[in-house]
Amino acid sequence: MLEPDPKVVRELLTRYASLRIAQAERERPEAARELADVSYTLCVMMATTAVHDAVARADALLLAKGRAQEVGSWDADGESGLSLAV
């Protein structure tokens, strides 16, 4: 099985969290559609059918990648490898 790119997973988790916050503050149809799209993409990428499972798997993937790196190391793009899942 192919493993998703951690940078893409991190970006999706960040977008998912931002949209959830935006919807909690003020529901808007366009944000709801984008949240549905991001949720679907996370589910497909993480091979799940429920967004909560997808978030949990994505967080576990990023945690595993973070442990694989040396503590305090940074990659070429200046990313620390830390999870941003909420």
Side-chain angles (χ1 to χ4, degrees):
M1 185 169 139
L2 294 175
E3 186 175 282
D5 181 358
K7 289 181 186 179
V8 174
V9 171
R10 190 177 308 116
E11 289 170 6
L12 279 172
L13 285 174
T14 301
R15 190 69 191 138
Y16 175 80
S18 297
L19 288 165
R20 289 282 310 257
I21 292 167
Q23 281 297 92
E25 291 175 347
R26 180 173 167 234
E27 290 190 31
R28 295 178 321 177
E30 59 274 3
R33 282 190 299 276
E34 189 175 352
L35 179 59
D37 289 345
V38 169
S39 298
Y40 174 80
T41 303
L42 268 171
C43 286
V44 170
M45 189 172 286
M46 302 312 299
T48 66
T49 56
V51 71
H52 289 90
D53 295 337
V55 169
R57 284 188 184 182
D59 194 37
L61 172 76
L62 295 177
L63 183 61
K65 290 295 179 183
R67 287 182 180 158
Q69 294 179 346
E70 289 183 7
V71 175
S73 68
W74 296 83
D75 67 15
D77 292 335
E79 298 288 334
S80 68
L82 298 176
S83 172
L84 295 178
V86 177

